[in-house]
Each structure stands twice: as structure tokens, then as C-alpha cells.
């Protein structure tokens, strides 16, 4: 099991008020799954994504990522997990504006401690994989939105992460470009990449093979559970 | 690898805001520039003074009368020619005992009438102070024993009276008395606080005592000691002779005081210390102000790049890497400012020195100090913004617009 969550809770303090963002999440995701996480705003899907991505730690519960318990890891250890296991794709691309596409893709490898040559080789391969072999020396402002998101996907893939974690990856793109990104995701899924996609758009979620709907900090429905209970 | 990336990012950030970076550095530039300039000027001035002290000879001792206070009454009793004579007769550690006496007199030559300082002394005085002649001769022991009315003029005194080398042999009136001009000295320059010999007129001490001034009160006695290691012993010898000669009872304090080159050097070192303190406070203030400027701009930089920090954290940058990155940026600012400041300081020192007519000495220590201070300021004022950046919550940072 790649992701194994048991009784995950997350409580925020907003001033004097306590917000229960997640109230007991049990979630298992196997390798190679393509999961869509949906739900209305305030349902806790962003919080859950942050926890899956090790950007945050749960208030209570256990989270095993690829067999190791990340729910109580130190800040530095979490940084290492993010670097090795998680590939983020954001709605707003989040590329570094003054760096070329190639350099942007190299950044996780730099923090991973790879040498110059290996870095160059891997980053080039990742950019070729997303179809941007001819855009390596371009800076983000010289590229279209779709190209930028492809650079972001290449950056997410370059360390061979266990999970590709995408947060509304098509949210800032027109439909056609968005579909091309989703097509790219489908290809990655076909080649065995685990993908967790967070979205509030039903037609985007439809591309995934498994659908989890959150509401008020709890899992409202999960295709996989239905299958399990049915079977 | 990682450190190269960190350096690359730091320089990239500075290059992206060149104007802002320069303005931020200005405080450090001025601070370091001031330090370098003042240290260079200070070192140059110090060397100039030390050269002069060295030229006067270290194995000389001077004694002069001092105030004493007995039961609340302050008393001042001049040294006399008899005191000097006693020293001359009895000292075993002296190669020369040279008294001098002086006063301000009206000196007339042609239609010029100036008030000039007249110094009565012995012929050894000139060699003791290594004075050189521009024309004529110094007075001799023969002149002295005969109380001849002969005068040797300092270069400025001669110039003020309109006396040139060709006028040696003519006469001047000093205090209404006619003197032969037998020599004119070369310019010597001020001797670090003592009266300038160039503005003096020198006459035999006997002439001064018996003919011009009519008293036996002398300013002091300069003694040439056989060797530098005998200075203290010579001083003891002089003290013993003078106490007896001046009939001081054992419980009475000395009513005279010694002054040697060493003491002058000490005095100078003290004033240098004060100068150094002044310098240090100027440097401290400007570096603190500059450092606050750096801290301010680094905080702005952290805020501006909140999102970038979030991205880097999401991609696996540890806190320490973010910390190092911003710290390096502020240190780079400071060191760059320090380097420009050094150049500026050196240039200012050169300009000031060329107008002041002395040497500029930029010591390696001052450069090291400047670099050290720059790095220190960068570290000290960079640590707060950098730790703020490092502690940013990645989720908050990624959301930051």
C-alpha cells in the first residue's frame, strides 16, 4: 500500500476558534492508482492534499507513506520525503520566473543532491517526456499556460516520485489545453504512475479511475470502498 | 552543487534588483569607506610623526621646571644657568648638557620690525637637534665665552625680516641691541608640538643671560645620554644633582620634570588611541545604520519571494537551505558594499593626503577589518530576515499572492 491513512484529523486554530478541517479520514491508495479527490470548498480536500503531500502534519491519526510513518516526522525529514516521494503540480504552475524550463525542472534534483551531469540528463529526459524538448532554454514568461504546466509536470516527475499530486492542474487553462494536460496524466497513469488529482470540476475528476468525495472533513463516498463492499 | 545553486540564486536576486541593491549597499559603502580612509590617513599621520620623533634622537632627555604645591600654595621656580652648570660639571652619563633660555623680543631689520622668539643656548644645541645651515655658520664656544652679540636665524624668522643668505654679515637689532647675523638655518618644520625652530633666532646663552635678558632663568636643559639603555640611570643622576643644587628637603617633591622621546611617543600613542576610538564609533554607527538598511531590504525581499520560498519548500528544500540562501544574499550585499567602500576609502584617503602632503598607508589589517566587519554586519542583520524566510509555512507561502 502506498498511502495508508488511519483516523486522520486536522484541527486549525483561527484566532480563538477551532476549525475541524478533517474529522477521521481512513484512506488507502495502492501503487498505480489514479485517484480524484473532489468536494465542495470547505470540505477539507485541500487540507487532505497538504497532508498527503507532507506539507503539513495531522493533529491526530497515522499516515504511512510507502510503509514509513510520516505523521510525526521532523521538518527536515518531511522536506526529504517531499523531495523524493511527492511530485507537486499546482493550479498556478508555480514555476520560478527567472529560471529556464530546464533549470526549473532541475531544482528538485539540486535539493536531492544530484550531480550536474545526472541532473541535466534527467531534467532533459523529463522535459522530453512532456513534449517540451524544444523549450528547455525558455523562461516561463516566454511560454504558454499549457507549456508552463507541462514544465511543472516534468518538474514533478523528474525525481521519479511515488505520487504525482496535482491540485486543480487545469484550473488556469482553457478547456483544450486542460484536456491535453489530462491526456498527459492518462499516459503517465498508463505507464504505472500513481496520481492523486484534487479538483472541484466533475468533468476533470471523470478522467480518474477512482473518485473520492469529501464533505465536512469526512469521506462521503469512495468508489474503491464501494467496490470492496460490493465484492 | 547545492551551494552553487544557493550562490546562483543569491546573486540572481541581487542582479534582478540592481538599483535597490546598490542603494542598500550605500550605508555599508560609506561606513567601510570612512573606516578605510581614516585608518589610512591615521596610519600615514602616525608614520609622519614617528619619523619626526626618530629624527630627534631617542637618547635625549629634557628637564624643565615644574609647579609644586606645598600646603595649598603653588610654587614655580625656574631652572637656572647654575643648575645647568652643575649638571654639566657633575653628570657622568651625559655626552652633552645643553640649556636654553628664551623670550619674545622686537627685532628690527631695515624697515621691518617683528616680534620674534629669541633662544639663548650653547653651540651643541644645533648638532643635538640636527639643525642644518643654509648660509653662514653657527656660533661657537668662543662666541659664547666672549658673550658675543651674534645671531643665527631660523628660516622663517629670516624670511619675515627680509634677510636672505646674501645678508649674512649684516646686523639686526634685537631688543634695541645690535647683533651680527652670522648664519641662517635650513627649514626644519615644526617638531611635533614644540615651538617651531624656523621662527626662532638663536644667540649664545651667555649673551642672552648677561646682555639681553639680564637673568639666569632657563627654559630647560636637554641632555644627550651616552646610550639609550642608560636613560633611566641618567635621569636618576640628574634628579640627585638638581635636588641638591635646588636645596630640596627629602620630604619635598621634585620641582622639575623630565621629558623624553619615549614619553612623547607615549603621549602620541594616547592621542592615537583617542583617534582610533573616534574612528571606531563612526564606523560602528555607519555600519549599524547600513546593517539596518540591509535588514530592512532583506525583509522586503523575503516578503516578495514568499511564493518562491513556498515552491522551493514544496520541492524539498530544507529550512537550513532557505536560511543559507537569504543569509548569503545579505552577506553578498555587505561584502560587495565593503569592497566598493574600500575602493572609495582608498581614493578619498589619497585625495586628502595629496592635499595634506603626507603619505597614505592602507594596512592589510584595515582591509581585513573592513571585510570582517562587512561579513559580520551581513550575518548579524541577515539572520533575522533569513530565519523568517526559513520558518515560513510552505502552505501559507504557496498561497501568498
Amino acid at each position: 500500500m502506498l498511502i495508508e491513512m488511519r483516523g486522520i484529523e486536522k484541527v486549525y486554530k483561527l484566532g480563538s476558534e477551532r476549525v475541524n478541517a478533517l474529522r477521521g479520514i481512513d484512506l488507502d491508495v495502492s501503487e498505480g492508482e489514479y485517484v480524484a479527490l473532489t468536494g465542495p470548498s470547505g470540505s477539507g480536500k485541500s487540507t487532505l492534499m497538504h497532508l498527503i503531500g507532507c506539507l503539513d502534519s495531522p493533529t491526530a491519526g497515522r499516515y504511512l507513506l510507502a510503509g514509513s510513518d510520516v505523521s510525526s516526522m521532523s521538518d527536515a525529514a518531511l522536506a526529504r520525503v517531499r523531495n523524493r516521494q511527492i511530485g507537486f503540480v499546482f493550479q498556478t504552475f508555480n514555476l520560478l520566473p527567472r529560471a529556464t524550463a530546464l533549470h526549473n525542472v532541475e531544482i528538485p534534483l539540486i535539493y536531492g543532491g544530484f550531480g550536474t551531469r545526472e541532473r541535466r540528463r534527467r531534467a532533459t529526459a523529463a522535459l522530453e517526456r512532456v513534449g517540451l524538448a524544444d523549450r528547455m532554454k525558455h523562461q516561463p514568461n516566454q511560454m504558454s499556460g499549457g507549456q508552463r504546466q507541462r514544465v511543472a509536470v516534468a518538474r514533478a516527475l523528474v525525481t521519479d516520485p511515488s505520487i504525482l499530486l496535482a491540485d486543480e492542474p487545469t484550473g488556469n487553462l482553457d478547456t483544450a489545453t486542460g484536456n491535453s494536460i489530462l491526456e498527459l496524466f492518462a499516459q503517465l497513469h498508463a505507464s504505472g504512475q500513481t496520481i492523486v488529482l484534487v479538483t472541484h470540476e466533475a468533468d476533470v475528476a471523470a478522467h480518474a479511475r477512482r473518485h473520492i468525495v469529501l464533505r465536512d472533513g469526512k469521506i462521503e463516498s469512495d468508489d474503491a470502498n464501494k467496490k470492496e463492499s460490493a465484492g | 552543487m547545492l551551494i552553487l545553486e544557493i550562490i546562483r540564486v543569491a546573486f540572481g536576486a541581487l542582479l534582478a534588483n540592481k538599483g535597490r541593491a546598490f542603494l542598500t549597499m550605500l550605508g555599508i559603502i560609506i561606513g567601510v569607506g570612512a573606516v578605510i580612509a581614516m585608518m589610512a590617513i591615521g596610519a600615514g599621520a602616525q608614520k609622519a610623526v614617528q619619523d619626526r620623533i626618530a629624527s630627534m634622537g631617542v637618547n635625549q632627555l629634557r628637564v624643565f621646571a615644574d609647579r609644586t604645591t606645598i600646603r595649598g600654595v603653588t610654587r614655580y621656580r625656574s631652572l637656572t644657568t647654575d643648575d645647568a652648570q652643575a649638571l654639566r660639571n657633575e653628570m657622568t652619563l651625559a655626552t652633552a648638557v645643553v640649556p636654553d633660555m628664551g623670550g619674545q623680543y622686537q627685532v628690527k631689520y631695515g624697515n621691518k620690525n617683528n616680534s620674534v622668539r629669541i633662544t639663548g643656548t650653547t653651540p651643541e644645541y644645533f648638532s643635538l637637534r640636527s639643525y642644518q645651515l643654509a648660509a653662514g655658520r653657527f656660533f661657537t664656544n668662543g662666541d659664547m665665552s666672549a658673550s658675543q652679540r651674534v645671531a643665527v636665524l631660523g628660516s622663517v624668522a629670516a624670511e619675515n625680516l627680509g634677510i636672505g643668505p646674501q645678508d649674512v654679515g649684516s646686523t639686526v637689532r634685537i631688543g634695541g641691541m645690535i647683533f651680527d647675523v652670522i648664519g641662517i638655518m635650513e627649514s626644519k618644520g615644526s617638531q611635533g608640538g614644540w615651538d617651531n625652530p624656523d621662527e626662532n633666532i638663536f644667540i649664545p646663552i651667555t649673551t642672552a643671560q648677561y646682555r639681553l635678558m639680564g637673568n639666569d632663568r632657563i627654559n630647560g636643559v636637554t641632555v644627550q645620554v651616552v646610550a639609550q639603555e642608560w636613560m633611566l640611570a641618567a635621569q636618576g643622576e640628574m634628579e640627585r644633582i638638581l635636588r641638591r643644587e635646588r636645596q630640596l628637603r627629602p620630604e619635598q617633591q621634585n620641582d622639575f620634570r623630565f621629558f623624553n622621546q619615549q614619553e612623547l611617543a607615549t603621549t602620541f600613542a594616547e592621542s592615537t588611541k583617542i583617534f582610533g576610538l573616534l574612528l571606531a564609533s563612526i564606523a560602528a554607527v555607519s555600519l549599524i545604520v547600513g546593517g539596518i538598511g540591509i535588514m530592512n531590504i532583506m525583509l522586503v525581499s523575503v516578503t516578495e519571494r514568499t511564493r518562491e520560498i513556498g515552491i522551493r519548500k514544496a520541492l524539498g528544500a530544507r529550512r537550513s537551505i532557505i536560511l543559507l540562501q537569504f543569509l548569503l544574499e545579505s552577506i553578498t550585499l555587505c561584502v560587495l558594499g565593503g569592497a566598493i567602500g574600500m575602493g572609495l576609502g582608498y581614493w578619498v584617503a589619497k585625495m586628502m593626503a595629496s592635499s595634506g602632503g603626507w603619505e597614505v598607508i592602507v594596512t592589510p589589517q584595515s582591509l581585513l577589518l573592513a571585510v570582517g566587519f562587512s561579513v559580520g554586519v551581513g550575518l548579524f542583520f541577515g539572520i533575522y530576515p533569513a530565519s523568517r524566510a526559513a520558518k515560513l509555512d510552505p502552505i501559507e507561502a504557496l498561497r501568498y499572492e
Side-chain angles (χ1 to χ4, degrees):
Chain A
M1 202 60 67
L2 190 60
I3 296 174
E4 212 177 324
M5 285 184 155
R6 289 291 174 273
I8 293 288
E9 291 183 17
K10 183 70 191 178
V11 181
Y12 290 113
K13 270 189 184 159
L14 276 179
S16 56
E17 222 174 316
R18 287 158 61 87
V19 180
N20 287 291
L22 296 175
R23 314 157 182 251
I25 300 281
D26 298 321
L27 175 66
D28 291 317
V29 176
S30 317
E31 253 170 69
E33 278 197 275
Y34 187 175
V35 182
L37 210 56
T38 59
S41 54
S43 62
K45 62 181 192 299
S46 290
T47 306
L48 183 57
M49 185 202 68
H50 292 149
L51 288 179
I52 293 172
C54 293
L55 286 168
D56 208 350
S57 296
T59 314
R62 242 162 80 87
Y63 171 20
L64 299 183
L65 176 63
S68 54
D69 190 352
V70 296
S71 37
S72 57
M73 271 188 181
S74 71
D75 195 79
L78 284 178
R80 181 188 291 253
V81 170
R82 286 199 293 272
N83 185 247
R84 304 248 166 109
Q85 312 259 43
I86 314 286
F88 286 99
V89 176
F90 301 96
Q91 178 176 1
T92 51
F93 323 133
N94 278 340
L95 299 175
L96 298 184
R98 287 194 303 270
T100 61
L102 190 66
H103 189 79
N104 262 295
V105 176
E106 279 185 6
I107 287 170
L109 299 173
I110 292 168
Y111 293 137
F114 288 90
T116 314
R117 190 172 299 183
E118 178 67 4
R119 234 160 56 197
R120 185 62 39 99
R121 192 186 66 74
R122 285 198 184 208
T124 308
L127 280 166
E128 277 166 0
R129 200 167 163 196
V130 298
L132 284 180
D134 55 337
R135 288 286 186 277
M136 293 198 203
K137 296 290 174 198
H138 288 60
Q139 293 194 346
N141 59 11
Q142 299 166 310
M143 287 186 277
S144 69
Q147 286 171 336
R148 286 185 216 185
Q149 194 60 302
R150 279 168 190 272
V151 173
V153 172
R155 184 179 65 184
L157 291 175
V158 77
T159 53
D160 267 325
S162 309
I163 307 166
L164 182 68
L165 199 54
D167 181 14
E168 304 278 9
T170 59
N172 271 23
L173 301 174
D174 60 70
T175 315
T177 318
N179 282 337
S180 77
I181 293 292
L182 290 170
E183 236 164 75
L184 178 61
F185 277 22
Q187 283 169 28
L188 295 172
H189 171 60
S191 66
Q193 177 69 51
T194 313
I195 300 172
V196 175
L197 176 69
V198 179
T199 180
H200 66 276
E201 287 177 70
D203 50 336
V204 173
H207 285 80
R209 298 298 165 88
R210 176 179 167 191
H211 303 92
I212 298 171
V213 182
L214 277 140
R215 188 175 291 275
D216 299 331
K218 285 179 184 161
I219 293 177
E220 190 182 59
S221 69
D222 184 343
D223 295 0
N225 287 345
K226 262 183 246 165
K227 262 179 257 164
E228 271 169 33
S229 56
Chain B
M1 281 312 102
L2 191 50
I3 196 77
L4 278 180
E5 165 72 5
I6 291 172
I7 292 169
R8 209 192 70 91
V9 171
F11 273 92
L14 294 180
L15 285 176
N17 290 300
K18 284 188 213 73
R20 193 171 84 181
F22 177 74
L23 288 175
T24 308
M25 285 189 292
L26 216 51
I28 302 292
I29 290 174
I30 292 169
V32 170
V35 173
I36 294 287
M38 297 191 78
M39 280 183 101
I41 292 166
Q46 188 169 356
K47 188 170 179 294
V49 173
Q50 275 169 351
D51 286 350
R52 274 183 194 170
I53 289 173
S55 80
M56 288 169 76
V58 284
N59 55 344
Q60 289 176 16
L61 205 55
R62 190 169 159 80
V63 65
F64 45 90
D66 196 15
R67 283 184 187 81
T68 51
T69 306
I70 303 160
R71 288 188 288 272
V73 181
T74 303
R75 204 172 67 131
Y76 180 86
R77 190 153 61 107
S78 287
L79 293 176
T80 64
T81 47
D82 288 345
D83 294 335
Q85 196 56 48
L87 289 173
R88 185 192 284 272
N89 293 342
E90 294 173 41
M91 276 193 79
T92 58
L93 294 168
T95 55
V97 176
V98 183
D100 55 276
M101 60 196 301
Q104 205 77 21
Y105 287 88
Q106 285 305 122
V107 178
K108 282 189 205 162
Y109 179 79
N111 58 352
K112 297 273 171 57
N113 189 348
N114 296 344
S115 174
V116 183
R117 191 172 166 77
I118 311 297
T119 300
T121 186
T122 64
E124 294 109 311
Y125 190 87
F126 302 105
S127 61
L128 213 63
R129 307 233 164 155
S130 36
Y131 292 168
Q132 305 290 327
L133 278 170
R137 63 178 180 86
F138 291 124
F139 49 79
T140 63
N141 284 323
D143 293 325
M144 204 171 73
S145 51
S147 303
Q148 292 286 358
R149 288 180 301 207
V150 289
V152 178
L153 277 56
S155 60
V156 174
E159 198 179 313
N160 288 347
L161 287 165
I163 294 175
Q166 72 284 353
D167 299 320
V168 171
S170 58
T171 58
V172 290
R173 276 177 176 273
I174 301 177
M177 202 173 285
I178 293 173
F179 279 73
D180 289 329
V181 175
I182 57 168
I184 296 170
M185 283 170 21
E186 259 178 24
S187 173
K188 177 83 175 164
S190 174
Q191 302 296 297
W194 290 344
D195 63 331
N196 189 344
D198 295 349
E199 292 167 5
N200 269 313
I201 292 176
F202 298 90
I203 60 174
I205 192 163
T206 46
T207 315
Q209 183 184 351
Y210 298 118
R211 297 187 179 229
L212 186 62
M213 302 181 189
N215 63 55
D216 62 353
R217 292 196 292 273
I218 58 174
N219 294 330
V221 182
T222 306
V223 170
Q224 171 111 28
V225 179
V226 288
Q228 206 186 336
E229 55 266 34
W230 291 103
M231 292 289 276
L232 226 64
Q235 194 169 314
E237 199 176 28
M238 287 168 82
E239 189 177 351
R240 214 171 51 245
I241 297 166
L242 285 174
R243 282 189 71 90
R244 195 204 62 221
E245 191 66 23
R246 292 163 76 77
Q247 297 172 338
L248 295 175
R249 286 189 300 278
E251 73 275 11
Q252 279 180 308
Q253 290 176 320
N254 286 347
D255 59 357
F256 49 87
R257 198 151 68 89
F258 293 97
F259 187 83
N260 58 40
Q261 299 300 347
Q262 216 128 23
E263 206 168 318
L264 185 66
T266 312
T267 312
F268 182 71
E270 251 159 50
S271 62
T272 307
K273 208 163 103 187
I274 292 167
F275 181 73
L277 271 170
L278 185 78
L279 181 85
S281 45
I282 291 171
V285 168
S286 51
L287 286 176
I288 286 171
V289 172
I292 291 169
I294 297 239
M295 178 149 77
N296 191 15
I297 220 68
M298 287 308 297
L299 285 172
V300 171
S301 180
V302 169
T303 308
E304 278 178 351
R305 284 151 69 199
T306 298
R307 204 180 173 85
E308 181 193 322
I309 295 163
I311 296 169
R312 289 182 182 277
K313 285 197 156 194
L315 298 180
R318 277 175 287 124
R319 278 183 187 180
S320 55
I321 288 169
I322 303 289
L323 185 87
L324 212 62
Q325 187 183 309
F326 280 90
L327 215 50
L328 202 80
E329 195 176 316
S330 68
I331 290 173
T332 305
L333 267 175
C334 282
V335 170
L336 222 60
I340 297 171
M342 274 185 225
L344 183 79
Y346 184 70
W347 182 74
V348 167
K350 258 198 126 93
M351 296 297 285
M352 288 178 76
S354 73
S355 66
W358 66 78
E359 238 179 307
V360 182
I361 303 165
V362 176
T363 59
Q365 292 101 297
S366 69
L367 292 182
L368 217 65
L369 195 78
V371 172
F373 260 125
S374 312
V375 174
V377 166
L379 261 175
F380 185 79
F381 289 99
I383 197 95
Y384 172 63
S387 73
R388 232 167 84 154
K391 281 183 195 145
L392 278 178
D393 175 15
I395 299 168
E396 294 289 323
L398 280 169
R399 274 201 202 118
Y400 187 85
E401 292 298 327

